[in-house]
Amino acid sequence: MHTIAIVEDMEDSPPSTTDETTPGQEDANVARLTRGMEHMRAYVSVPSRPSPAPTTPPTEAPSVYGVPSTAINPIRNPTETKRTATNPEKRTDPFSFGSRVLEEGDDIFEFNAWDHVEVDDAFKEFAELQYQRQREAPVSDFDKVKFNGKPETFWNKFYSNNAANFFKDRKWLFQEFPTLTKATTAGSGPVTILELGAGAGNTAFPILAANKNEELKLHACDFSAVAIDVIRASPLYETKHIQADVYDVASVSADTDSEDNVSLPLDLARESVDIVILIFIFSALSPSQWTQALKNIYAVLKPGGEVLFRDYGRGDLAQVRFKKGRYLEENFYIRGDGTRVYFFEKEELEYIFSGATETTSKQPNQETRGEEDNSTNKTDSSDDVLAKRPRFDVLNLGIDRRMLVNRQRKLKMYRCWMQGRFQKPL
């Protein structure tokens, strides 16, 4: 798995790419933080110049959460990649994502991002303190009902406000998932792709732009009707290769005669899809919806079909920065706009998709916690969750850690994503 520079959380801003500052501007930039980040000043900022030694021992001022203002630094690797006059950016030849590693002697703010960056113990300790503070001030029971009852209404509002101007096109798809390259190559024959959580088309349209396969069909689905309207209104939307429909991946079949309650997208039959794309969509589901979602995905996939997955990882800055009144349940939060987000661990995802026995001791209560979420799509409330859930083969699954930096404002942001490929057994 490669590493890529993207910012998917809707409360984050991409790092600045400018290096230019006017005299005196550096200190002003360091001082300028959003209110949502102010309590993390000591953990994301680096002074632009050393401060003079104090004559008396300073008194550490606690942050908003009472966390001491301790310097946080990334763990550096031994110097292996040599910087030369012909390779000042320490890139591999040929270039590949994930190749810029922070080493001893490197200036953190020389580049916009560093790959495979591990956080130090101080940041881990700070994160755990944050999680405890979040647990102590959860979302009220009343608001849990509101946010979990009809989550699509908040996504409708989001896309009404942002239309197609919020997320960037995912041009990294083919580097990260070579399966898509094969599917879009001329002469590959009939290939059906189902994207779930299609949003405004930031995955679907880059795939279509690169497509040379006349027999490719891409179904772009989202449970937000407004998002689907955005896709259909795009000048890039053409019905020969793409069909956009409203569909909730965690929905239960309305057919009372259905034994397994499987619900399929419009115009798709069982075992008719070659590739299912899940990019930053599984995190929007309540843990109580995971099993039904996987049942639907498993049913629509052909034997041997693949699931391409990317989503948030536990310890991502977007999780650590949440303050009081955002915690729904463990690793599950409400953003400021009312949309939900979950942060996964690697072992947890392995358990969710494959039922890996070595991790079940850690995971059995994941979905029984869903009894509290009051979701209209609640599907799991017993200890036989694993027996009800379909099992995929794990082709690969990894943790994508990256440190993004804002060189002008002297900020460093630790991001963590999960990425994997899962296959329906033949």
Side-chain angles (χ1 to χ4, degrees), residues 123-140:
F123 185 87
K124 293 176 182 177
E125 181 181 353
F126 169 68
E128 290 301 325
L129 287 170
Q130 289 286 86
Y131 303 150
Q132 184 58 39
R133 304 281 183 180
Q134 294 162 359
R135 296 183 192 107
E136 293 170 355
V139 175
S140 69

Side-chain angles (χ1 to χ4, degrees), residues 341-362:
V341 60
Y342 191 93
F343 297 85
F344 296 95
E345 295 186 72
K346 180 182 176 181
E347 295 79 8
E348 180 180 36
L349 280 173
E350 189 173 5
Y351 169 80
I352 291 169
F353 277 87
S354 71
T357 55
E358 64 268 22
T359 60
T360 54
S361 61
K362 180 179 179 181

Side-chain angles (χ1 to χ4, degrees), residues 33 39 45 47 57 96 115 123 140 212 230 249 321 331 342 357 361 363 369-370:
L33 286 176
H39 64 287
S45 61
S96 63
D115 303 312
F123 185 87
S140 69
K212 306 296 182 185
V230 171
V249 66
R321 67 187 286 190
N331 296 328
Y342 191 93
T357 55
S361 61
Q363 303 304 331
R369 289 188 284 104

